């Protein structure tokens, strides 16, 4: 199978044959069909065999595989520009992003191609901003990292909250819960929750955490926030509605901060304080999660230990990560809920609050891939409402778009107001 010269397509999925890539391609097909869209798209991967297998799977859901443009490319060996020059928007499903994404973004800027990915690696995000933001602004090219479960539910939940909040937001407390099947807490087979690719990226993130903090302090030295409200000054653990909560370990809060800084600097939008927390059964947290994360955090600075983590993911994660990934049943049974409690003042300067809840299932793959596709389509269809160029955090890129409506319409996420104090 040779590479196909297809001209300029609307969308190309890079890394289409990977675990997340296949979900992304199938969701792309589904969204285009259900919305009667006329977007042109193609796939790119490095393995002829895996490409052929994917084409067969797409044929089983009604696609004519002979009409699907295919660009073979091994980004470690080939010129990635053979892919980027053929796309208006590149959907990057490869990883780990810390290693692979920088040359891909560089190629996108050279070929005038917009870019989205599913990264959750903060070091990668800030590196892209430092290295390519100026060029992206000059070229009018939009680069938006972290368009998957990491960031999209939190950032769009805040957009939904802001839209319905009657007044000025001063602070938001976000309580994030990932509800996994009960059998996953105990020894046994088929308890995997996360594919190896995510684990590989997490190890890189732990390795680069100190470097990220240093780069963030250098990149964003200015404090743009009012003093932290007393209500938000909590200890590492605090109780809320009978559960023990602690700071959410994902990149969401940092990306919220980056988004607010962009909107403050470019549009003069007053930032509000936002804290994201999560919870889990106390025994599991104290006996398993905390000890493991502290040990791995420090040992990840040793090259030999990092290689052990990558080589034996099942062993070092008690079976929660594997090269095979979760079963379809386990993925669908994994649910999540983000509850946003917004506080501020109304037009009469009276205290007011609003609570919004965002829910969904299969966060790692179905939600991630669908969110990624909708982010790419939003760039195509709502370019006038997106900044003309730059390496943009999700909140800055999609603040004025209808991305929330698209997520609702395509059954990606559910948004609801559960309390409205007037």
């Amino acid at each position: 199978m040779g590479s196909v010269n297809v001209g300029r397509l609307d969308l190309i999925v890079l890394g289409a044959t990977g675990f997340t890539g296949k979900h992304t391609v199938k969701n792309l097909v589904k969204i285009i069909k259900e919305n009667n869209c006329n977007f042109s798209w193609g796939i790119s991967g490095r393995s002829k065999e895996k490409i052929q297998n994917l084409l067969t799977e797409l044929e089983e859901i009604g696609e004519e595989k002979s009409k699907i443009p295919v660009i073979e490319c091994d980004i470690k060996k080939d010129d990635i520009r053979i892919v980027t020059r053929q796309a208006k928007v590149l959907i990057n499903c490869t990883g780990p992003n810390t290693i692979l994404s920088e040359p891909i973004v560089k190629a996108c800027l050279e070929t005038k191609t917009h870019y989205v990915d599913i990264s959750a690696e903060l070091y990668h995000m800030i590196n892209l901003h430092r290295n390519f933001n100026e060029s992206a602004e000059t070229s009018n090219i939009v680069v938006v990292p972290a368009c998957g479960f990491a960031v999209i539910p939190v950032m769009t939940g805040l957009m939904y909250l802001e839209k319905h909040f009657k007044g000025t937001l001063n602070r938001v407390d976000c309580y994030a819960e990932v509800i996994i099947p009960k059998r996953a807490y105990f020894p046994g087979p088929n308890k995997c929750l996360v594919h190896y690719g995510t684990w590989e990226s997490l190890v890189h993130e732990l390795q680069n955490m100190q470097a990220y903090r240093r780069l963030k302090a250098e990149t964003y030295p200015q404090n743009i926030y009012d003093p932290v409200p007393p209500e938000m000054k909590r200890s590492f653990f605090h109780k809320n509605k009978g559960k023990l909560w602690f700071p959410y370990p994902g990149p969401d809060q940092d990306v919220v901060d980056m988004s607010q800084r962009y909107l403050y600097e470019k549009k003069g939008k007053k930032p509000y304080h936002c804290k994201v927390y999560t919870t889990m059964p106390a025994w599991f947290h104290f006996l398993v999660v905390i000890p493991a994360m502290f040990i791995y955090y420090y040992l990840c600075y040793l090259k030999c230990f990092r290689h052990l983590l990558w080589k034996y993911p099942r062993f070092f994660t008690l079976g929660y990560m594997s090269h095979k990934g979760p079963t379809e049943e386990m993925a669908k049974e994994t649910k999540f809920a983000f509850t946003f409690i917004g506080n501020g003042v109304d037009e009469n300067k009276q205290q007011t609050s609003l609570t919004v809840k965002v829910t969904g299932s299969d966060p790692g793959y179905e939600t991630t891939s669908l969110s990624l596709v909708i982010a790419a389509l939003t760039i195509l269809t709502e370019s006038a409402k997106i900044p003309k160029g730059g390496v943009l955090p999700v909140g800055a890129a999609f603040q004025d778009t209808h991305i929330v409506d698209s997520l609702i319409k395509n059954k990606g996420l559910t948004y609801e107001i559960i309390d409205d104090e007037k």
Side-chain angles (χ1 to χ4, degrees):
M1 185 189 306
S3 295
V4 179
N5 185 6
V6 293
R8 198 78 162 178
L9 298 167
D10 291 317
L11 301 154
I12 291 179
V13 180
L14 179 67
T17 60
F19 195 82
T20 305
K22 287 196 286 187
H23 280 81
T24 301
V25 174
K26 290 175 182 177
N27 266 316
L28 175 59
V29 170
K30 176 185 172 183
I31 290 172
I32 288 176
K33 282 186 175 180
E34 291 183 352
N35 292 277
N36 295 315
C37 300
N38 191 30
F39 296 114
S40 57
W41 60 276
I43 60 174
S44 178
R46 63 182 179 178
S47 167
K48 293 181 180 180
E49 181 181 358
K50 290 182 178 179
I51 289 173
Q52 188 58 53
N53 291 340
L54 175 58
L55 290 173
T56 300
E57 290 181 38
L58 293 175
E59 193 170 44
E60 290 173 355
I61 60 174
E63 291 295 302
E64 289 188 51
K65 66 180 184 180
S66 61
K67 294 184 178 181
I68 300 174
V70 175
I71 305 103
E72 291 174 18
C73 179
D74 184 342
I75 60 177
K76 291 183 178 180
K77 299 177 182 179
D78 303 323
D79 185 352
I80 186 61
R81 288 174 295 183
I82 68 174
V83 180
T84 62
R85 68 167 59 100
Q86 299 186 61
K88 295 178 183 178
V89 180
L90 186 75
I91 302 176
N92 180 18
C93 295
T94 67
N97 296 101
T98 299
I99 295 175
L100 299 179
S101 292
E102 189 162 324
I104 298 172
V105 171
K106 183 179 179 182
C108 283
L109 296 179
E110 292 175 1
T111 58
K112 306 293 185 182
T113 304
H114 301 302
Y115 169 98
V116 294
D117 71 29
I118 52 171
S119 62
E121 300 154 64
L122 288 165
Y123 181 77
H124 150 73
M125 296 179 209
I126 203 162
N127 248 350
L128 289 186
H129 177 82
R130 287 168 61 90
N131 294 336
F132 299 114
N133 183 59
E134 186 175 341
S135 298
E137 286 185 334
T138 302
S139 303
N140 293 333
I141 297 302
V142 173
V143 175
V144 190
C147 293
F149 175 72
V151 179
I152 286 286
V154 166
M155 206 65 251
T156 58
L158 289 172
M159 294 177 194
Y160 188 84
L161 175 65
E162 287 185 58
K163 179 180 178 180
H164 293 89
F165 193 85
K166 298 177 181 178
T168 302
L169 271 174
N170 292 330
R171 61 184 176 92
V172 178
D173 292 300
C174 175
Y175 291 93
E177 294 183 80
V178 177
I179 304 99
I180 64 177
K182 290 183 179 179
R183 65 179 180 276
Y185 287 114
F186 304 100
N190 297 323
K191 63 183 289 184
C192 178
L193 295 170
V194 180
H195 185 261
Y196 168 78
T198 305
W199 172 246
E200 185 181 14
S201 296
L202 174 59
V203 174
H204 280 289
E205 182 74 344
L206 292 173
Q207 175 194 357
N208 293 317
M209 187 55 65
Q210 288 188 7
Y212 163 72
R213 289 170 179 160
R214 183 181 67 253
L215 286 177
K216 184 181 179 184
E218 294 173 0
T219 306
Y220 303 112
Q222 179 188 6
N223 175 37
I224 63 170
Y225 296 94
D226 292 336
V228 178
E231 298 88 348
M232 300 190 82
K233 294 180 179 179
R234 301 185 175 97
S235 58
F236 188 84
F237 296 103
H238 75 278
K239 279 192 172 183
N240 182 58
K241 295 185 177 179
K243 295 181 179 180
L244 191 66
W245 301 83
F246 56 95
Y248 187 59
D252 307 62
Q253 188 164 309
D254 285 72
V255 178
V256 170
D257 175 67
M258 294 176 192
S259 299
Q260 294 210 80
R261 287 180 180 277
Y262 181 95
L263 295 172
Y264 172 77
E265 292 169 0
K266 299 290 187 178
K267 298 185 178 182
K269 183 176 180 290
K270 187 177 185 297
Y272 52 82
H273 291 278
C274 179
K275 294 289 185 182
V276 187
Y277 307 97
T278 192
T279 188
M280 64 181 62
W283 67 269
F284 188 76
H285 180 258
F286 286 108
L287 295 179
V288 179
V289 176
I290 285 185
M293 292 308 293
F294 269 101
I295 292 170
Y296 293 172
Y297 172 75
Y298 289 106
L299 291 181
C300 270
Y301 290 100
L302 302 176
K303 185 177 181 180
C304 60
F305 186 74
R306 292 198 302 274
H307 283 285
L308 286 174
L309 292 178
W310 288 324
K311 190 173 182 179
Y312 304 107
R314 290 184 64 89
F315 175 80
F316 283 102
T317 65
L318 302 179
Y320 290 110
M321 319 277 181
S322 77
H323 287 89
K324 187 177 180 180
T327 64
E328 185 176 348
E329 180 184 18
M330 181 68 84
K332 287 182 177 179
E333 289 180 7
T334 303
K335 313 290 184 182
F336 62 87
F338 291 82
T339 302
F340 302 82
I341 304 172
N343 287 275
V345 294
D346 61 20
E347 58 184 13
N348 297 316
K349 304 301 180 183
Q350 299 296 311
Q351 292 295 317
T352 186
S353 67
L354 180 68
T355 301
V356 161
K357 193 171 187 178
V358 178
T359 56
S361 63
D362 187 4
Y365 305 102
E366 184 65 17
T367 293
T368 285
S369 59
L370 194 143
S371 298
L372 181 63
V373 169
I374 289 175
L377 291 174
T378 301
I379 291 173
L380 278 175
T381 59
E382 299 191 66
S383 59
K385 298 176 181 177
I386 296 173
K388 289 185 177 180
V391 178
L392 304 170
V394 167
F398 302 122
Q399 180 73 22
D400 298 324
T401 70
H402 294 94
I403 191 170
V404 171
D405 297 329
S406 296
L407 286 164
I408 294 171
K409 180 180 179 181
N410 291 285
K411 300 177 182 178
L413 298 170
T414 299
Y415 301 77
E416 59 179 322
I417 296 172
I418 61 175
D419 180 37
D420 190 358
E421 293 183 16
K422 297 183 178 181

